[in-house]
Amino acid sequence: MTFPLPPNSTIGIVGGGQLGRMSVLAAARLGYRCQILTPEEDSPAGQVAWGVTLGDYEHPATLREFAASVDVVTFEFENVSVEGLNLLASLKPVRPAPAVLRVSQDRIVEKSFLRDAGVPTARWRRVGLMSELEAACVEIGFPAVLKTTRLGYDGKGQAILLGPQDLASAFATLYPKPLILEEFIDFACEISVIVARGSDGQVTAFDAVENRHRDHILDVTLAPAQISEAAAIEARGIALSVAGALDLIGVLAVEMFVDAGGRVLANEIAPRPHNSGHWTIDACPASQFELHIRAIAGLTLPAATRHSDAVMKNLVGPEEAALWPRVLATPGLIPHLYGKLEARPGRKMGHFTRLFPRGALPGEFGIQAALDIL
Ligand SMILES: Nc1ncnc2c1ncn2[C@@H]1O[C@H](COP(=O)(O)OP(=O)(O)O)[C@@H](O)[C@H]1O
Ligand SMILES: [Mg+2]
């Protein structure tokens, strides 16, 4: 396959969720077809795609069939096994490269990579045995966060340790999975930066945004983050250097903490479009999804700039899904629904965006008012 991909080429997306759905819509606008690999019969991405390969992410025959039907492979779901990734990469160009996914799949590999790239993080220790947890708590202190190294999302596979009394039960709950103990950061706010990098090394990053979680699930994103200019510059710089150090092709989100002193610490990286970048669909000339598709297709990257400031609100679970008619009826809210049939608790069903003139994101009061249909 030659890059840039000509129009009507087929982009293979591993994963059938809403990130895939919004990637498909962006790809369609650039004249590309998408083939989705998912085990889910009626998936958010599959509903809007050119084709679906239905089957397991780990099944070699399924991966072969999928690869045969596409020109390039990318991901909206990152937890494909090393063998699966290697098989795909032996058949078609895989962007971002399997090595990039391997970094984000394991918190210890991830934190070690960040350290080697000169990016500050919370202090951490590898934990395998109870005795190692005890030793790590002496070094890290309390409070601390114990996490599984793999397959965590939306705060799953984590326990906060407030003191020695919490060790045994937290360890029992998470063991025998490999674990990492992290210093608890008493953050002033959580932010993220989405960066895009092309195959020629061209790189561009959106401004940092602020992310507010509820029950460990992203609730609201404010673009831009209301942080000091120094912290905003530091955050963008971290994202740009991470993308370069990974030799990334595609987009990547870096989740970060800003502490009370304005210090920026990286927490996680996600080598794909990210929930904290959904606002870019409505507030930017080229969204995170368009930048991702452009990067993996070998097209030039426009700058990651916004024409508007924005507030994005996720619609999570049955209660917020039930607000849909009100979202539609409220002037100024830009609605997005993901096509999921069942609104289970904690499930991301859709989101809406509200735009403000650039530089005119309101204060706390106005943000509450903007969300006040709830
Ligand atoms: N070291 C930490 N200090 C303080 N809060 C943390 C720490 N690690 C995680 N958290 C909180 O838990 C949330 C989820 O943790 P994260 O590491 O992003 O895992 P995931 O998103 O994969 O579930 C973070 O967004 C943050 O609010
Ligand atoms: Mg996270």
Side-chain angles (χ1 to χ4, degrees):
M1 184 30 76
T2 55
F3 290 97
L5 292 184
N8 293 312
S9 299
T10 304
I11 293 170
I13 302 178
V14 177
Q18 63 270 14
L19 298 171
R21 181 183 180 96
M22 291 181 267
S23 300
V24 171
L25 298 176
R29 244 183 33 177
L30 298 173
Y32 296 125
R33 302 159 189 224
C34 290
Q35 180 79 19
I36 305 298
L37 171 61
T38 173
E40 201 187 342
E41 196 98 31
D42 180 20
S43 67
Q47 288 165 10
V48 298
W50 155 256
V52 176
T53 305
L54 204 58
D56 194 274
Y57 299 125
E58 303 304 339
H59 195 235
T62 305
L63 293 176
R64 279 205 188 85
E65 182 194 329
F66 171 67
S69 65
V70 307
D71 297 305
V72 64
V73 173
T74 191
F75 306 87
E76 68 106 52
F77 166 87
E78 310 142 63
N79 286 309
V80 180
S81 70
V82 174
E83 299 77 49
L85 289 173
N86 289 343
L87 176 57
L88 286 173
S90 72
L91 299 167
K92 287 290 156 71
V94 170
R95 296 179 158 188
V100 176
L101 277 86
R102 286 201 285 272
V103 170
S104 71
Q105 281 175 347
D106 185 300
R107 293 187 197 278
I108 288 180
V109 179
E110 186 176 51
K111 290 253 174 7
S112 306
F113 161 80
L114 289 167
R115 179 193 59 211
D116 296 345
V119 175
T121 66
R123 292 179 300 127
W124 59 273
R125 292 289 181 275
R126 176 198 307 268
V127 169
L129 309 167
M130 184 63 188
S131 57
E132 290 171 334
L133 177 58
E134 283 161 355
C137 284
V138 171
E139 291 179 327
I140 301 284
F142 296 106
V145 190
L146 187 63
K147 303 180 181 178
T148 57
T149 58
R150 303 180 73 87
L151 301 172
Y153 69 98
D154 289 345
K156 292 185 179 33
Q158 295 192 21
I160 294 197
L161 310 179
L162 298 175
Q165 71 281 358
D166 293 340
L167 265 60
S169 69
F171 188 76
T173 311
L174 301 175
Y175 190 80
K177 297 193 175 113
L179 304 175
I180 179 172
L181 185 76
E182 292 177 19
E183 167 192 14
F184 181 87
I185 303 298
D186 187 18
F187 53 79
C189 74
E190 290 193 79
I191 62 169
S192 58
V193 172
I194 289 165
V195 55
R197 189 170 177 278
S199 48
D200 57 354
Q202 195 196 351
V203 67
T204 183
F206 291 100
D207 282 339
V209 298
E210 177 177 341
N211 300 316
R212 299 181 179 177
H213 296 84
R214 214 170 58 185
D215 302 328
H216 298 286
I217 300 169
L218 183 65
D219 178 33
V220 169
T221 294
L222 308 181
Q226 306 297 288
I227 53 178
S228 72
E229 200 179 326
I233 289 169
E234 170 80 8
R236 266 181 103 245
I238 287 173
L240 290 166
S241 60
V242 166
L246 286 171
D247 209 8
L248 175 78
I249 303 177
V251 307
L252 169 142
V254 185
E255 298 176 13
M256 292 171 262
F257 303 122
V258 183
D259 74 9
R263 214 165 45 121
V264 179
L265 301 169
N267 175 38
E268 277 202 296
I269 61 185
R272 50 167 172 77
H274 191 262
N275 195 168
S276 69
H278 289 0
W279 64 277
T280 61
I281 299 174
D282 302 311
C284 302
S287 72
Q288 64 165 349
F289 300 101
E290 176 169 343
L291 291 177
H292 185 68
I293 297 296
R294 280 187 183 241
I296 64 163
L299 303 177
T300 54
L301 294 183
T305 53
R306 66 181 187 282
H307 50 71
S308 302
D309 289 353
V311 174
M312 188 282 312
K313 165 84 180 99
N314 268 342
L315 298 171
V316 178
E319 293 84 16
E320 294 188 345
L323 297 170
W324 185 245
R326 252 197 280 173
V327 173
L328 291 175
T330 306
L333 301 190
I334 305 175
H336 298 257
L337 201 62
Y338 305 151
K340 298 181 185 178
L341 290 180
E342 202 194 335
R344 292 193 289 272
R347 201 167 191 214
K348 292 168 181 166
M349 302 301 293
H351 72 268
F352 66 80
T353 313
R354 178 157 224 154
L355 299 183
F356 298 89
R358 201 182 147 119
L361 192 69
E364 222 32 66
F365 225 56
I367 286 163
Q368 283 320 313
L371 301 173
D372 214 15
I373 65 145
L374 318 170

